Amino acid sequence: SEWWALKQLWDKGLLKRGYKVLPYSPKTGCTYSNRDVSEGYRLVTDLTCYVRFPLSKNQDLGVGDKMANMLVWTSTPWTLPGNVLLAVNK
């Protein structure tokens, strides 16, 4: 379970107690990145790209014999060389 894993990390001294203030949006229910905050919430033009990832033919994707692909949009294209998987909610 998650609690067991957290206890293991705590027992090994890998977790530390402390505080970090993060900007939080009650509207979206998530925190803002430091980059968002440093830009002063102004509209900026960033480099983005679309990438096509071919999916395995071994999966039953309901497309028959056709090759299926996943089209992904990212605002951090410099991380693409490190992408090793896509997480998709059923």
Side-chain angles (χ1 to χ4, degrees):
S1 77
E2 292 85 7
W3 289 113
W4 175 85
L6 281 172
K7 176 143 181 15
Q8 297 298 311
L9 293 170
W10 179 260
D11 291 344
K12 293 177 182 178
L14 298 174
L15 292 179
K16 301 294 180 200
R17 197 177 282 201
Y19 298 95
K20 181 176 181 181
V21 177
L22 296 173
Y24 179 79
S25 168
K27 182 177 181 179
T28 62
C30 62
T31 59
Y32 289 115
S33 71
N34 288 335
R35 181 176 180 207
D36 291 337
V37 174
S38 69
E39 290 176 351
Y41 305 106
R42 62 187 160 87
L43 291 177
V44 296
T45 302
D46 277 331
L47 177 65
T48 65
C49 69
Y50 290 91
V51 182
R52 180 178 56 90
F53 289 94
L55 300 177
S56 172
K57 287 185 178 181
N58 297 341
Q59 300 172 353
D60 181 18
L61 301 171
V63 294
D65 292 335
K66 296 179 183 176
M67 182 63 184
N69 297 284
M70 180 74 61
L71 184 63
V72 176
W73 172 83
T74 181
S75 61
T76 56
W78 53 88
T79 64
L80 287 172
N83 292 141
V84 294
L85 65 94
L86 297 171
V88 179
N89 186 2
K90 293 182 182 180

